[in-house]
Amino acid sequence: MSLLHLSLPAAEPERIAIFLAELMGGRALPFPPFPDSWIAFGVRDDGTAVEVYPLTHRLTAGEKQVICTVGEEDKAPSPVHLALASSLSHEAILAKAEEQNWLARLCNRGPFECVEIWLENRLLIEVLDPEMQESYRTGMTMKNWERMFGLSG
């Protein structure tokens, strides 16, 4: 099983989608199903994507399928975050975040390291360069998780 896509809220959806697409080596395009929304595709063009909606948008269960409603802007911190694999070096990732004037730093999460970026200085993404991805895949396993936290499996 693999994560195929997810959605994130942003004050500037186009700007965020372009930034994410650059990290993923792909392209950002408008997302016509929902107004003023964008989508960032990954380099492999295999459906891996991040949809970016304005802070005013909410997905709700419509009668037959999901619908997008527009309401009050929500700038509250969120528990939602995303880890992205990038072909860029961690230096290049940090530089791209600095160009946007967003908080970015190298972090050690225990089983892996990442570049922590706060999109719009409010929404967390973790970006892993190729070396970090390798340690992520070997460190973030069920067995290692159980061992790190003393859980029985």
Side-chain angles (χ1 to χ4, degrees):
M1 180 167 70
S2 297
L3 178 66
L4 300 175
H5 74 263
L6 63 85
S7 62
L8 298 175
E12 297 181 75
E14 181 180 5
R15 179 181 178 196
I16 297 300
I18 290 169
F19 180 79
L20 294 172
E22 287 176 359
L23 293 177
M24 297 187 303
R27 283 185 54 208
L29 297 168
F31 190 75
F34 300 145
D36 304 313
S37 300
W38 281 74
I39 186 167
F41 287 98
V43 67
R44 289 185 290 203
D45 198 19
D46 60 359
T48 302
V50 180
E51 298 167 14
V52 188
Y53 306 149
L55 295 174
T56 54
H57 289 32
R58 303 290 177 277
L59 299 183
T60 58
E63 193 170 309
K64 295 187 180 193
Q65 68 177 358
V66 65
I67 58 172
C68 178
T69 60
V70 178
E72 295 294 315
E73 189 172 84
D74 182 5
K75 291 185 178 181
S78 171
V80 174
H81 77 280
L82 162 69
L84 276 181
S86 178
S87 62
L88 301 174
S89 69
H90 68 269
E91 295 91 354
I93 295 165
L94 285 165
K96 285 190 171 295
E98 287 174 21
E99 288 171 6
Q100 301 294 325
N101 294 313
W102 295 332
L103 174 61
R105 55 193 170 201
L106 288 174
C107 290
N108 187 326
R109 298 287 194 245
F112 65 95
E113 290 185 333
C114 66
V115 178
E116 182 181 281
I117 300 174
W118 289 88
L119 301 177
E120 300 178 331
N121 290 314
R122 59 163 210 81
L123 186 65
L124 171 65
I125 65 169
E126 298 166 325
V127 185
L128 288 74
D129 70 13
E131 187 177 306
M132 293 169 174
Q133 293 167 47
E134 193 170 317
S135 66
Y136 180 91
R137 287 189 174 88
T138 58
M140 279 297 292
T141 64
M142 285 185 280
K143 283 189 185 295
N144 283 342
W145 195 262
E146 290 170 340
R147 183 182 47 74
M148 281 187 306
F149 295 104
L151 305 171
S152 59

